[in-house]
Amino acid sequence: MTSIEFPAVDPPDPTARREAAARHERLTKPAGSLGRLEELGVWIAACQGKCPPRPFTRARVVVFAGDHGVARGGVSAYPPEVTGQMVANFMTGGAAINVLSGVAGATVRVVDMAVDAETPDQVSKFKVRRSSGSIDREDALTEDEARRAVAAGMAVADEEVDGGADLLIAGDMGIGNTTPAAVIVAALTGEEPVAVVGRGTGIDDSAWMRKTAAIRDALRRARKVSGDPLALLRTAGGADLAAMAGFLAQAAIRRTPVVLDGLVVGAAAMVAEDLAPGARHWWVAGHRSVEPAHSFVLGHLGLTPVVDLGMRLGEGSGAAVALPLLTMAARILTDMATFGDAGVSERSEDTASTPS
């Protein structure tokens, strides 16, 4: 299966990165005293190619929704029809991601890729099918559907960047979606099913065993195509995961920073990095999910999460929680006075070099 071709990913601007690091040395604080906030500010400046960076004015959350046939096998604590119901909840502003995004200063868009229900035209224009196949015994998508889904994610990224978005967050909604996500993570890391299976929506022991068996069966098929990103999405992913992969890869091509969410987005990000090597340099991990497979995602991509609050909701919620910290990191470089501006004495070199 031939992969979709992406152009080479340009890295964030090294000159702006150096300028931001140097500016931190001149701000009215001991060097390094703001810890990770300093690192994040330097990353933002590099992504924007500008020091000091611009404060974010149009952060955008895009929730990719889709059902998964494997959910019919009892791998989730919730019935599959919840996916379509939650799409309606997003659209009326009643979901957690709506609340968190409102506080963080972001707006929310929902994209139906494979919801097993009728949804309004405004969210379903990229819809590939109703529910992906049950990956424990069949492919999630056809080859054509996989290509269309990746292309849809790319188109959504282009629409958002062209519309003025200066930071993107991918979110997910789909009952059973941590099962294909865990399969993808295991296929790309070599981990066994028992290492990647989690409790998802809060399943009991019986459902956990069914989920483990489904991941085991799907992984047998997925490992055969793990070297082909598009084939992996077709075999063991789904239209929502494929669209997220295209979205994340294209955001990097468009030089737009992304805050990653948890396991499902992370699995898509692993595939996106294979589709467009170097894309990960345009991403920061918003949080660490309690889903076991997410730690393998972070290790594989070499990303350190901004927060760790024991979250496992999805929707982009963990990334939205991290967004205010990114805003602070940018504003420190933009608004904080230098020693020269404020007339504050800098650290004495004699004192700095003399042991106390």
Side-chain angles (χ1 to χ4, degrees):
M1 188 171 183
T2 305
S3 293
I4 290 177
E5 293 294 328
F6 283 85
V9 176
D10 293 326
D13 190 323
T15 300
R17 183 186 298 276
R18 288 192 296 269
E19 290 175 354
R23 182 172 176 81
H24 266 301
E25 298 290 323
R26 301 194 303 272
L27 298 179
T28 49
K29 59 178 175 59
S33 60
L34 288 176
R36 187 79 193 282
L37 286 175
E38 297 188 18
E39 297 174 19
L40 292 170
V42 169
W43 174 75
I44 293 166
C47 289
Q48 294 183 355
K50 179 182 176 65
C51 179
R54 301 177 299 275
F56 299 116
T57 59
R58 195 173 186 277
R60 184 74 153 162
V61 180
V62 181
V63 180
F64 292 90
D67 277 302
H68 296 267
V70 73
R72 298 288 177 189
V75 299
S76 174
Y78 289 84
E81 54 264 29
V82 167
T83 303
Q85 294 165 357
M86 283 300 298
V87 167
N89 194 26
F90 294 137
M91 296 180 70
T92 56
I97 189 58
N98 300 106
V99 176
L100 296 172
S101 296
V103 174
T107 55
V108 178
R109 174 183 180 180
V110 185
V111 177
D112 170 8
M113 292 303 305
V115 177
D116 194 13
E118 293 295 325
T119 56
D121 291 344
Q122 68 193 87
V123 301
S124 63
K125 74 173 183 174
F126 291 110
K127 190 165 185 165
V128 166
R129 59 186 284 170
R130 287 180 62 143
S131 186
S132 298
S134 187
I135 59 171
D136 54 337
R137 60 179 185 272
E138 62 185 348
D139 284 352
L141 305 167
T142 66
E143 181 173 339
D144 178 66
E145 288 167 346
R147 290 180 179 281
R148 286 166 50 204
V150 172
M154 295 166 63
V156 171
D158 284 335
E159 287 179 357
E160 295 302 330
V161 175
D162 291 342
D166 52 9
L167 180 140
L168 294 171
I169 290 172
D172 66 276
M173 179 62 227
I175 298 302
N177 64 7
T178 59
T179 298
V183 172
I184 288 172
V185 172
L188 293 177
T189 62
E191 296 295 334
E192 293 300 317
V194 72
V196 296
V197 66
R199 297 283 175 173
T201 49
I203 55 176
D204 60 19
D205 289 346
S206 295
W208 186 89
M209 288 187 283
R210 290 192 295 270
K211 184 175 180 179
T212 303
I215 291 172
R216 177 201 64 207
D217 293 345
L219 189 55
R220 289 191 183 119
R221 302 170 61 254
R223 281 195 168 132
K224 298 174 184 177
V225 295
S226 60
D228 184 334
L230 204 59
L232 182 60
L233 291 168
R234 179 204 73 210
T235 303
D240 48 349
L241 283 148
M244 279 186 272
F247 177 83
L248 294 169
Q250 187 65 11
I253 298 296
R254 296 297 304 271
R255 305 182 65 84
T256 302
V258 174
V259 187
L260 299 180
D261 194 41
L263 171 58
V264 180
V265 174
M270 290 173 69
V271 181
E273 173 64 16
D274 286 347
L275 286 168
R280 64 187 177 89
H281 298 300
W282 292 90
W283 309 331
V284 67
H287 80 128
R288 182 188 300 276
S289 170
V290 296
E291 281 287 307
H294 191 233
S295 289
F296 296 122
V297 171
L298 296 172
H300 184 84
L301 295 174
L303 298 175
T304 302
V306 176
V307 298
D308 186 348
L309 300 177
M311 296 174 66
R312 54 178 172 82
L313 175 62
E315 301 180 7
S317 56
V321 167
L323 180 55
L325 294 173
L326 291 178
T327 301
M328 292 176 192
R331 294 296 291 265
I332 286 164
L333 282 168
T334 302
D335 298 351
M336 193 170 174
T338 65
F339 286 106
D341 292 336
V344 175
S345 298
E346 297 192 47
R347 182 177 181 178
S348 167
E349 290 300 319
D350 290 339
T351 303
S353 60
T354 302
S356 57

